[in-house]
Amino acid sequence: MSQAYKHAYQLGNFQEIQAKAGECQLCQAWLQLLPKFEANVEQNYTEQGIFSLKASRWCSWGAFDLLESSTRDLSLHTVSLYIEEEFNGYRGVEFMITINDGSFYLKRDDIRWNEISLQVDFSLPLKWMKFCEENHGACNATHGPQLDKLLSVFRLIDCERTLSSGELQVLCPDEIPEYTALSYVWGGQPDDDSSEQAPSGDNTGVEDSRDRFSKNRLESLPKVIQDSIRTTKQLGLNYLWADKYCIDQEDSKSRHETIMKMDLIYSAAKVVLVAATGSNNRHGLSGAGSTTRTPLKSIKVSNKLSFVPIKHASDCIQDSVWATRAWTLQEGLLARRRLVFTPEQIYFECMETQIAETISVPLDVLHKSNCASRLAGGYFHALANHHVLYTRLLLLFRNYSRRNLSYDTDRINAFLGILNSMRPALSHVWGLSISAEEDVKESFIRSLGWDHDWKWLHENKNQVKQQPDFPSWSWAAWEGPKDYTSLIHTKDIQVKFYLDDNSTIELSKKTIKDQLGNLELKATHRLTLQTYILKPDSLIKVERTIDNEYAYTINECPCALQHYLGIEKDENLLENIRKGVFKLVYTGSLYYALPRVLPEARFIIGRNKGDSLERVGSLKMMFDMGAFDMDQDLMDYLQVHAKFMSVDLT
């Protein structure tokens, strides 16, 4: 290797490495590790493309982090590396150097690289699950009494009878047995039979019975269902829950009740099979049936020295279509145990550890480590490991809103399991969370302050569509990625909801949990806010921007404005705000602890719609007032420039 710079070692260009490969075993290995991309499958790299060997910043993830911290006397003798072609930014697979045929440690060889085959060896996940059952208290919670409430609508695939008869066998059990649950991508377009949402069923009444019989034949089922049935049996279980076949699509009441209990169904399963492979249900579980996989292979340099490619669980899963779908977030997250099938290998992640098929580690060594170390690098743990419940919810919501749904009407349904799993500490109304353990009113107003990802909205605002099934003030009414901000200083604002029985509920610190449950079930689209309505003396668009957002001034204060008015120009919006056709409804403010970040006030942009307002955007106003006192200075500002009054939002 030639000169080092910035912690990188230049290997030369492709032609130079290739020329040396005849005599240099290392160069032979480099050739196999060079980045391969669809646009350059023949590896026709230019002379300007210099390859460099670099240390990976993720070398302490997962098993290596916990092993190194808990077994320091073992002397980890390797680092994580990758090769990058700097001219085009091509990056190759991450790999580690091992000795003694795959050992990562000098003083023991039972912590090593595990060469895997085209088919899954199910003795491994059986061993992982057995160890989890015997040693992890958090993973063995019982759900019997709660699941009994679901018995009237609970259905399962009988795998033994399905395999023996060659036809799908679905039963309604008298009691809840041990079962697996499947999380997978339906794929296709909304009008495709393989779309993500469970179909409404064949309600035309003209389907030939022979067609129905043919569809239920084992060989006619989607590959992922076939493989999951066989995998369930390989894991020593007999029953499988898969939404398409275990939700009665022709019974709307049963379907609704099942969706309301999705958190329970996935958390009660003994293990959830995650199909993080393919883009539809016609792709099976890689390595578990007829669907092949491409396992990562080690590259031998000498009798004792090898390069072994490493792909972390979080990277492997995050790159899948599965990780882009909205329904799959709660399905994987709420499980006690997950067996994840990726194109290269399987992963196991429960509530107390995560294990990759390619790395063989004695389970007692894992168990001796603390739980945080055992979960380091885990995909699901990383999604929801914040100790503050409300913050955890906001992080999950941010992830969820960036995923794809086939049906806009399912925006709350596909997130409902996560919301339900946080009861009784958190409730919600139309998807906006309410903390039952804090100031109830302020927690709702804090949720009301959601807004869109500013970059996404700037690029797509002409195409944003409203879903009329939800109130305009709910995030579920509008497509696109969204964020919450932790609004504070909302104490003057009052909130009242209207229920479908013509009663009302006014939020306060003393609002009881029973009222919140009633609110969740019966709230209409209408709510009343008693708050400040800003009266702009001046509202103009400016040439320069601050932080790529602030392109306006209101009463001479910089402000950022986003709206969902399609092709309507900003100038029309500004004029309608000046005329009072659109109103600026104060929803709170926030003061950043970070230096050089100024305090902000947040407003909903509401458009007159009959006797109420419809949310059509948001505005944030930045204050540059030196030592700004949010409590007093902001109130003084609002009392001068705003009117305190009641407005209805729908």
Side-chain angles (χ1 to χ4, degrees):
M1 290 183 285
S2 59
Q3 65 175 346
Y5 69 100
K6 295 182 180 179
H7 309 294
Y9 292 89
Q10 288 188 341
L11 304 176
N13 62 30
F14 178 79
Q15 291 77 14
E16 290 171 336
I17 299 173
Q18 193 174 42
K20 293 183 287 184
E23 300 177 355
C24 175
Q25 287 181 302
L26 279 175
C27 290
Q28 293 173 19
W30 300 145
L31 285 177
Q32 296 181 63
L33 292 165
L34 294 186
K36 294 182 178 68
F37 291 84
E38 290 183 8
N40 195 18
V41 292
E42 301 298 327
Q43 293 182 304
N44 296 320
Y45 295 107
T46 63
E47 292 185 3
Q48 293 94 336
I50 303 298
F51 290 93
S52 297
L53 182 67
K54 297 184 177 182
S56 171
R57 64 174 184 251
W58 305 121
C59 61
S60 64
W61 273 22
F64 303 106
D65 176 53
L66 68 93
L67 293 172
E68 182 69 355
S69 61
S70 61
T71 55
R72 296 185 185 281
D73 62 318
L74 300 180
S75 302
L76 181 68
H77 61 72
T78 185
V79 293
S80 186
L81 305 167
Y82 67 94
I83 297 175
E84 181 178 74
E85 193 266 274
E86 297 185 342
F87 185 75
N88 293 298
Y90 294 162
R91 173 172 171 160
V93 69
E94 187 177 346
F95 65 94
M96 299 184 78
I97 303 168
T98 66
I99 62 172
N100 298 332
D101 294 324
S103 171
F104 291 111
Y105 288 84
L106 290 172
K107 296 184 180 180
R108 62 189 295 173
D109 62 4
D110 58 349
I111 301 173
R112 59 190 303 107
W113 167 260
N114 183 31
E115 201 82 52
I116 57 179
S117 62
L118 293 175
Q119 291 293 311
V120 173
D121 176 2
F122 280 98
S123 66
L124 281 175
L126 279 170
K127 181 172 66 174
W128 300 336
M129 288 171 59
K130 185 174 186 293
F131 189 87
C132 174
E133 287 185 276
E134 294 175 350
N135 295 277
H136 299 160
C139 302
N140 290 294
T142 58
H143 297 76
Q146 294 173 286
L147 271 181
D148 287 343
K149 300 176 183 177
L150 193 61
L151 271 175
S152 61
V153 296
F154 196 58
R155 310 200 302 182
L156 291 166
I157 296 173
D158 186 323
C159 300
E160 178 66 37
R161 290 177 56 206
T162 297
L163 291 171
S164 61
S165 68
E167 184 180 357
L168 183 68
Q169 302 290 330
V170 179
L171 58 82
C172 299
D174 296 327
E175 57 183 10
I176 306 299
E178 289 187 329
Y179 64 95
T180 65
L182 175 63
S183 177
Y184 66 110
V185 175
W186 286 45
Q189 299 300 317
D191 57 351
D192 188 343
D193 181 59
S194 62
S195 68
E196 180 189 42
Q197 185 188 27
S200 60
D202 299 300
N203 51 18
T204 61
V206 298
E207 182 187 35
D208 191 290
S209 61
R210 291 171 297 181
D211 294 336
R212 184 179 290 113
F213 177 78
S214 176
K215 288 180 181 179
N216 286 336
R217 293 294 298 172
L218 179 61
E219 65 268 17
S220 299
L221 298 176
K223 271 190 177 183
V224 70
I225 303 297
Q226 295 183 45
D227 289 349
S228 297
I229 290 172
R230 294 187 173 97
T231 295
T232 297
K233 292 299 296 178
Q234 292 271 25
L235 296 175
L237 300 169
N238 188 47
Y239 299 102
L240 166 69
W241 191 91
D243 53 7
K244 182 174 182 178
Y245 302 98
C246 297
I247 298 178
D248 187 348
Q249 302 300 326
E250 296 182 352
D251 184 337
S252 59
K253 181 180 179 182
S254 172
R255 183 177 186 274
H256 175 73
E257 185 176 348
T258 307
I259 288 175
M260 292 291 289
K261 296 291 185 182
M262 292 286 268
D263 57 316
L264 191 54
I265 291 171
Y266 279 94
S267 63
K270 187 169 184 179
V271 62
V272 171
L273 310 177
V274 175
T277 54
S279 59
N280 54 55
N281 61 11
R282 295 179 292 278
H283 193 288
L285 299 178
S286 293
S290 59
T291 304
T292 59
R293 61 177 180 173
T294 53
L296 301 170
K297 294 293 183 181
S298 62
I299 300 169
K300 198 165 187 176
V301 178
S302 67
N303 289 336
K304 289 190 174 183
L305 182 66
S306 297
F307 296 159
V308 295
I310 299 294
K311 198 163 186 182
H312 298 295
S314 55
D315 294 333
C316 214
I317 299 171
Q318 190 61 44
D319 291 341
S320 69
V321 175
W322 180 91
T324 69
R325 303 303 291 175
W327 280 98
T328 59
L329 176 64
Q330 64 180 17
E331 294 168 359
L333 190 72
L334 298 173
R336 293 180 290 163
R337 305 180 187 92
R338 306 101 174 165
L339 186 60
V340 185
F341 293 79
T342 75
E344 298 88 5
Q345 60 178 307
I346 56 172
Y347 292 97
F348 177 79
E349 185 174 340
C350 63
M351 298 175 73
E352 295 195 28
T353 195
Q354 61 97 11
I355 307 168
E357 186 182 6
T358 51
I359 302 173
S360 177
V361 182
L363 297 179
D364 62 326
V365 174
L366 293 179
H367 191 60
K368 289 175 184 176
S369 306
N370 65 64
C371 190
S373 293
R374 293 199 298 269
L375 283 163
Y379 175 81
F380 301 97
H381 173 70
L383 279 176
N385 65 352
H386 201 284
H387 64 283
V388 178
L389 187 63
Y390 187 80
T391 304
R392 187 189 315 163
L393 176 65
L394 300 194
L395 294 173
L396 289 172
F397 171 75
R398 189 177 192 278
N399 183 296
Y400 170 78
S401 72
R402 283 154 176 77
R403 295 180 173 225
N404 303 318
L405 266 173
S406 295
Y407 295 87
D408 293 339
T409 52
D410 275 337
R411 284 188 189 139
I412 292 179
N413 283 342
F415 197 60
L416 198 58
I418 290 173
L419 292 170
N420 289 344
S421 71
M422 297 184 175
R423 290 173 173 164
L426 291 178
S427 183
H428 78 95
V429 56
W430 292 109
L432 300 186
S433 60
I434 302 176
S435 174
E437 298 181 346
E438 304 175 42
D439 186 311
V440 170
K441 182 197 68 175
E442 290 202 15
S443 71
F444 171 75
I445 297 172
R446 181 170 55 187
S447 298
L448 194 63
W450 63 268
D451 57 15
H452 273 84
D453 177 89
W454 287 80
K455 183 176 185 297
W456 180 91
L457 189 64
H458 177 73
E459 297 172 352
N460 297 276
K461 68 179 181 180
N462 291 344
Q463 303 169 4
V464 177
K465 298 176 182 177
Q466 183 179 8
Q467 173 48 250
D469 288 4
F470 308 111
S472 67
W473 43 265
S474 168
W475 53 263
W478 304 97
E479 62 183 330
K482 307 173 190 75
D483 295 288
Y484 275 113
T485 49
S486 297
L487 295 175
I488 55 176
H489 303 284
T490 61
K491 60 185 179 181
D492 289 345
I493 303 175
Q494 304 301 319
V495 184
K496 181 168 65 175
F497 290 96
Y498 297 83
L499 308 188
D500 56 17
D501 60 3
N502 295 320
S503 62
T504 61
I505 292 179
E506 190 163 344
L507 292 189
S508 69
K509 287 185 178 181
K510 298 181 180 179
T511 303
I512 60 175
K513 293 180 181 179
D514 288 347
Q515 287 180 303
L516 293 180
N518 200 34
L519 181 62
E520 181 178 326
L521 295 173
K522 297 184 177 182
T524 66
H525 287 197
R526 195 178 194 91
L527 68 82
T528 296
L529 288 182
Q530 190 175 26
T531 184
Y532 293 95
I533 306 300
L534 187 63
K535 299 176 296 182
D537 298 324
S538 63
L539 178 56
I540 60 174
K541 191 170 184 177
V542 296
E543 295 299 324
R544 65 186 184 90
T545 63
I546 303 174
D547 297 333
N548 300 317
E549 287 185 20
Y550 295 85
Y552 308 86
T553 62
I554 185 168
N555 299 339
E556 300 183 352
C557 291
C559 67
L561 180 151
Q562 59 174 221
H563 66 80
Y564 333 127
L565 298 174
I567 61 174
E568 183 165 344
K569 295 181 179 180
D570 288 353
E571 288 75 11
N572 294 339
L573 174 66
L574 302 184
E575 183 62 26
N576 280 321
I577 291 175
R578 295 187 194 103
K579 291 179 178 179
V581 177
F582 291 0
K583 293 183 169 59
L584 301 178
V585 183
Y586 176 67
T587 56
S589 54
L590 55 131
Y591 189 91
Y592 296 98
L594 299 174
R596 299 187 303 277
V597 182
L598 300 174
E600 295 175 350
R602 296 295 180 97
F603 299 84
I604 287 174
I605 301 175
R607 175 170 57 186
N608 285 330
K609 185 180 180 182
D611 59 352
S612 62
L613 297 178
E614 173 188 42
R615 174 176 173 148
V616 292
S618 65
L619 179 143
K620 59 182 179 181
M621 184 164 56
M622 185 171 66
F623 292 93
D624 186 5
M625 299 183 179
F628 187 75
D629 185 331
M630 184 61 77
D631 283 318
Q632 189 56 51
D633 292 349
L634 178 65
M635 289 301 103
D636 291 345
Y637 177 88
L638 290 174
Q639 287 171 9
V640 172
H641 296 282
K643 181 179 180 181
F644 193 74
M645 59 183 291
S646 293
V647 293
D648 284 356
L649 297 176
T650 54

